[in-house]
Amino acid sequence: MTILEQTPTTAAVLVDERGITPRGPFAVTWTFLRRQPVGAIGMVLVLIFGLAGIFADWIAPYSPTANDFSSMTEPPSLSHWLGTDQLGRDLLSRILFGARTAFVVGLTSAIIGGVSGLVLGVGSAYFGGKLDLWLQRLLDIVMAFPLIIMALAVVSIFGTGLNNVILAITIPLIPRCSRIVRSSALAIREIPYVDAARALGYGHIRIILRHMVPNVMGPFLVVITAFVGQAILAEASLSYLGLGVQEPVPAWGLMLQGGAEEYATTAPWIAIFPGLAIMLTVFGINLFGDSLRDVLDPKMRDR
């Protein structure tokens, strides 16, 4: 392997007890789960809610939007495992379909915002100069606003709805990812193999894609994982405030908005179960993200 090809991979930092680097996605995943049991717990929680959202059409016992005024605010029972809400809708079904909404918003916002931040961060670090100076000042202005405040501003301009909520959450995520990626890319830009690539006459695009982007994938993957949890919380917050997705789309924040206060004493399950779904999902994502950071960060692996 030449100096121009020395780029780390996720598998390279995972070594089993025999000192062998795993090959293939299944071997890498299995080694990760054995070395990071806490991360395995987080992965299981994320998979449970993710698969619940994917297969909600087949596993939900009722329609999430069907009203049954003869069964309003029923407590958990054999017919309704998690009870019903103030309109007689089955809570279990709404939570399952709400998982789909949460992951669609979370994954889409995190991926679009993360990839956009990756492009801006690596490009800004590589080219430097006035481009880097002005771009970072522009991103500083966006980062001056908290994520939820910026999301509220975007929603107030473009309106509510699923697509606008994704846009509102994506915009404030871009500068956060760009700043983290740029800090890693600045150090990589000074490594000899980047200078060697320039000396050989390689173009800017090839150097960035072949030698810089692969070397920032570690922190980038950790940031993406954290962004998914932040996006799910932001979506729930916007929906709770009535500025996110709107009825009849099932969403955990909307479920809290409808029963968190008015039915807190008479039918507490209306708010408890959606709140638990949000908590467990974000908790699982954070556990997985922390374990992923421990694996990909050499300083953490040495401890």
Side-chain angles (χ1 to χ4, degrees), residues 50-61:
L51 292 176
I54 293 173
F55 298 105
D57 291 303
W58 292 273
I59 62 179

Side-chain angles (χ1 to χ4, degrees), residues 101-229:
T101 303
F103 276 93
V104 166
V105 174
L107 290 174
T108 305
S109 301
I111 291 173
I112 295 177
V115 172
S116 301
L118 174 68
V119 173
L120 293 176
V122 174
S124 178
Y126 178 78
F127 291 105
K130 292 185 177 180
L131 174 65
D132 182 38
L133 176 64
W134 288 104
L135 182 59
Q136 293 308 310
R137 299 297 76 78
L138 176 63
L139 296 179
D140 286 340
I141 294 174
V142 179
M143 287 188 64
F145 298 92
L147 188 150
I148 189 64
I149 300 299
M150 177 62 72
L152 286 171
V154 174
V155 169
S156 64
I157 295 173
F158 295 100
T160 59
L162 184 62
N163 293 332
N164 290 336
V165 169
I166 293 175
L167 176 64
I169 299 174
T170 299
I171 291 176
L173 293 181
I174 294 175
R176 289 163 173 80
C177 180
S178 176
R179 180 62 60 85
I180 295 173
V181 170
R182 175 180 175 271
S183 63
S184 299
L186 284 173
I188 294 168
R189 185 184 63 179
E190 306 302 327
I191 295 178
Y193 64 73
V194 176
D195 293 331
R198 293 197 191 99
L200 290 174
Y202 290 169
H204 297 312
I205 300 299
R206 178 170 179 175
I207 295 175
I208 291 174
L209 296 180
R210 180 74 181 272
H211 305 298
M212 295 194 68
V213 170
N215 283 282
V216 300
M217 289 307 294
F220 174 72
L221 291 175
V222 175
V223 168
I224 285 292
T225 305
F227 281 178
V228 174

